[in-house]
Amino acid sequence: LTYSRDWTAGGVTKLYLWFRGTPTNTADRMFIALNGSAVVYHGDASATQAAGWNRWVIDLQDFAGVNLTNVNTITIGIGTKGNPAAGGAGQMYFDDIRLGR
């Protein structure tokens, strides 16, 4: 990230992500990682199969150990971060990644 790396400015407390999968996808969970290490997993273990647009709201305090005044990277992933596994199939769509109060 090059601009607005301070995710505490203006009283920001939440990260919003809109996503959609398809019922034919391999069921798996999603995660978001900040700065390559602080990971939050979606509560639905089959989020990849969620049809229609779905809003995921994450409290920034859930990203334990990350310096929210200097966020360098954001990663959206499927499965378990740091333990990749072959075999998943399907399509995912992401939109409207934003910060808010």
Side-chain angles (χ1 to χ4, degrees):
L1 302 174
T2 58
Y3 175 71
S4 194
R5 292 164 79 165
D6 183 354
W7 285 22
T8 64
V12 169
T13 60
K14 299 190 184 315
L15 172 66
Y16 297 86
L17 171 70
W18 286 87
F19 70 93
R20 72 181 288 171
T22 64
T24 58
N25 282 353
T26 301
D28 212 337
R29 62 185 179 170
M30 292 187 336
F31 66 84
I32 294 182
L34 300 182
N35 292 351
S37 60
V39 180
V40 173
Y41 288 92
H42 192 278
D44 182 353
S46 59
T48 54
Q49 294 179 322
W53 286 104
N54 301 275
R55 183 176 74 161
W56 183 13
V57 181
I58 304 170
D59 287 324
L60 291 179
Q61 66 186 7
D62 292 346
F63 291 103
V66 71
N67 178 2
L68 292 172
T69 63
N70 189 24
V71 177
N72 297 311
T73 63
I74 179 172
T75 303
I76 301 168
I78 307 297
T80 302
K81 181 158 179 16
N83 190 22
Q91 295 180 343
M92 293 293 299
Y93 300 92
F94 301 97
D95 196 13
D96 292 338
I97 302 169
R98 66 182 179 96
L99 299 170
R101 293 183 223 158

